[in-house]
């Protein structure tokens, strides 16, 4: 990891570690959730040291990668193919997970005899399946556990789909060029910082929304500026050092933010790590991690270590089934319905008429 290379050059090599990073990040979410799910006081060591848990770090990484890759997808596709591509990646696995949770897991575990008649059951199914908003609770399911949510990880997905739509609007309006996107990004980040500072402490849902949106639009910024952004592993050490020294001060936020963004792309492109191309379990691992952790508690895995191990095995099995039975077939439809456009992008990202 000692080389210096532009992000554009690294991307053109067509070799990256994004799938591996996302897989590890999805597992980090499981590990980090083991504390609240088992009712263990405190948080994972990363959270104890920085105040931001390993699971939160993983979500930040998800969103900065998503902002980059979805902007790349937008350049390749017209509006309808772009929407089809995003929908086929997000919805089939989500629909399967939500349906299995409501129609199989819920009836098996509920203590509520009115489960099928309770509006909460169908609100969970409808709201999560459509990504209208995240709903967390099913009547009588996990209601004796330290955390009663059926799937506490779903909160990111409605935000993700709305950011896709916002990015599409920006592309249609010709915003995804450096001279337009960079000042808009700067205003958005400055506005978010000012809002967070003047309204502190923010409610939890607003804090999460602000964080992940900032990482997503920054991922898109790196795509827009990929010709000018230079990746260098040598920068990581001082960036990490600054973040460590700034811990507990207001300066930790920009230091952490810059380190996560630069570090993610350095790991994605500089080291020669095992490449995952044909089997991507990260989305399924993320979807099934929380409910499998709840099931693991019911089966007796009530410590952080035992819950992480048991839930990891269960979630990997579910993720494998999700990939081979749902996600991979959906991606084959994506390749059939959404041809890649390499020559003339329908939504220009490099240049637009002035």
């Amino acid at each position: 990891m000692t080389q210096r290379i532009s992000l554009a050059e690294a991307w053109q090599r067509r070799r990256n570690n994004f799938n591996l990073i996302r897989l590890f990040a999805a597992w980090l979410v499981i590990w980090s959730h083991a504390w609240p799910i088992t009712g263990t006081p405190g948080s994972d060591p990363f959270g104890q040291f920085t105040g931001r848990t390993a699971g939160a770090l993983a979500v930040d990484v998800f969103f900065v990668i998503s902002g980059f890759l979805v902007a790349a997808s937008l350049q390749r596709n017209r509006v309808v193919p772009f929407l089809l591509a995003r929908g086929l990646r997000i919805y089939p696995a989500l629909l399967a997970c939500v349906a299995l949770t409501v129609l199989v897991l819920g009836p098996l575990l509920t203590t509520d005899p009115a489960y099928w008649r309770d509006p909460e059951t169908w609100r969970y199914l409808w709201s999560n399946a459509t990504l209208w908003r995240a709903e967390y609770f099913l009547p009588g399911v996990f209601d004796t556990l330290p955390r009663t949510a059926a799937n506490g990880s779903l909160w990111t997905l409605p935000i993700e789909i709305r950011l896709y739509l916002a990015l599409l609007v920006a592309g249609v309006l010709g915003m995804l060029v450096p001279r337009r996107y960079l000042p808009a990004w700067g205003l958005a980040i400055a506005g978010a910082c000012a809002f967070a500072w003047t309204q502190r402490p923010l409610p939890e849902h607003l804090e999460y929304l602000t964080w992940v949106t900032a990482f997503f639009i920054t991922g898109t910024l790196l795509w827009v500026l990929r010709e000018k952004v230079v990746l260098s592993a040598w920068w990581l050490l001082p960036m990490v050092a600054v973040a460590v020294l700034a811990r507990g001060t207001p300066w930790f936020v920009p230091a952490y933010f810059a380190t996560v963004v630069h570090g993610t792309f350095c790991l994605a492109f500089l080291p020669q790590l095992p490449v995952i191309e044909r089997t991507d379990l990260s989305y399924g691992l993320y979807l099934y991690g929380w409910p499998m952790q709840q099931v693991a508690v019911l089966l007796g895995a009530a410590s952080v270590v035992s819950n992480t191990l048991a839930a990891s095995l269960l979630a990997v099995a579910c993720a494998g089934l999700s990939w081979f039975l749902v996600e991979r077939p959906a991606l084959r439809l994506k390749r059939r319905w959404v041809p890649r456009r390499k020559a003339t992008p329908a939504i220009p990202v490099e240049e637009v008429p002035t």
Side-chain angles (χ1 to χ4, degrees), residues 67-77 82 163-185 216-217 219-226 345 347-352:
F68 182 85
L69 294 181
V70 175
S73 174
L74 183 58
Q75 183 182 16
R76 294 193 301 268
N77 297 299
F82 172 79
L163 288 172
Y164 292 170
L165 295 176
L167 182 60
L168 175 60
V169 171
V172 170
L173 294 177
M175 289 294 297
L176 300 185
V177 290
R179 66 181 180 276
R180 295 176 185 171
Y181 191 82
L182 181 58
W185 173 87
F216 184 90
I217 66 174
T220 298
L221 178 71
L222 265 63
W223 171 260
V224 173
L225 298 179
R226 63 193 181 279
I347 298 180
V349 177
E350 296 303 320
E351 294 293 338
V352 294

Side-chain angles (χ1 to χ4, degrees), residues 199-219:
Q199 303 299 317
R200 67 187 189 281
L202 290 178
E204 189 175 72
H205 70 282
L206 282 181
E207 180 182 352
Y208 289 164
L209 175 63
T210 303
W211 270 100
V212 299
T213 301
F215 277 102
F216 184 90
I217 66 174
T218 301

Side-chain angles (χ1 to χ4, degrees), residues 136-280:
Y136 302 109
F137 306 103
L138 285 170
V141 178
F142 304 137
D143 58 354
T144 62
L145 301 185
R147 295 293 174 135
T148 58
N151 195 336
S153 297
L154 296 181
W155 68 271
T156 64
L157 299 180
I159 298 173
E160 180 103 4
I161 207 73
R162 285 164 174 77
L163 288 172
Y164 292 170
L165 295 176
L167 182 60
L168 175 60
V169 171
V172 170
L173 294 177
M175 289 294 297
L176 300 185
V177 290
R179 66 181 180 276
R180 295 176 185 171
Y181 191 82
L182 181 58
W185 173 87
L187 286 173
I189 293 294
C193 291
F195 177 75
W197 182 260
T198 57
Q199 303 299 317
R200 67 187 189 281
L202 290 178
E204 189 175 72
H205 70 282
L206 282 181
E207 180 182 352
Y208 289 164
L209 175 63
T210 303
W211 270 100
V212 299
T213 301
F215 277 102
F216 184 90
I217 66 174
T218 301
T220 298
L221 178 71
L222 265 63
W223 171 260
V224 173
L225 298 179
R226 63 193 181 279
E227 299 286 350
K228 301 182 182 301
V229 173
V230 175
L231 300 176
S232 173
W234 288 111
W235 294 354
L236 273 180
L237 289 177
M239 292 172 79
V240 170
V242 170
V244 170
L245 292 174
R247 184 169 59 99
T249 74
W251 296 105
F252 174 75
V253 171
Y256 167 86
F257 191 91
T259 303
V260 170
V261 172
H262 188 72
T264 296
F265 286 93
C266 282
L267 286 174
F269 290 110
L270 296 186
Q272 297 294 308
L273 301 176
V275 175
I276 300 176
E277 291 182 342
R278 300 184 181 276
T279 305
D280 181 7

Side-chain angles (χ1 to χ4, degrees), residues 261-343:
V261 172
H262 188 72
T264 296
F265 286 93
C266 282
L267 286 174
F269 290 110
L270 296 186
Q272 297 294 308
L273 301 176
V275 175
I276 300 176
E277 291 182 342
R278 300 184 181 276
T279 305
D280 181 7
L281 302 184
S282 60
Y283 186 37
L285 194 64
Y286 183 78
L287 285 176
Y288 290 95
W290 180 289
M292 290 304 100
Q293 288 188 272
Q294 296 283 61
V295 169
V297 173
L298 291 177
L299 294 175
S303 70
V304 167
V305 173
S306 64
N307 186 266
T308 300
L309 292 175
S312 295
L313 292 174
L314 292 170
V316 165
C318 292
L321 292 172
S322 175
W323 173 256
F324 289 107
L325 298 180
V326 180
E327 295 171 64
R328 189 170 69 170
L331 290 176
R332 286 173 176 167
L333 289 177
K334 172 183 168 183
R335 285 191 289 268
R336 184 183 305 171
W337 295 348
V338 186
R340 296 170 71 91
R341 299 176 179 271
K342 296 182 180 179

Side-chain angles (χ1 to χ4, degrees), residues 17-34 37 54-63 65 89 151 153 156 276 280-293 307-308 311-313 315-316 319 327:
N17 304 312
F18 284 132
N19 285 344
L20 182 62
I21 292 171
R22 289 187 296 199
L23 183 63
F24 181 67
W27 180 82
L28 276 183
V29 172
I30 293 176
W31 179 57
S32 181
H33 281 166
I37 281 178
L57 167 66
V59 170
D60 297 339
V61 169
F62 281 139
F63 272 88
I65 291 175
R89 188 65 189 102
N151 195 336
S153 297
T156 64
I276 300 176
D280 181 7
L281 302 184
S282 60
Y283 186 37
L285 194 64
Y286 183 78
L287 285 176
Y288 290 95
W290 180 289
M292 290 304 100
Q293 288 188 272
N307 186 266
T308 300
S312 295
L313 292 174
V316 165
E327 295 171 64

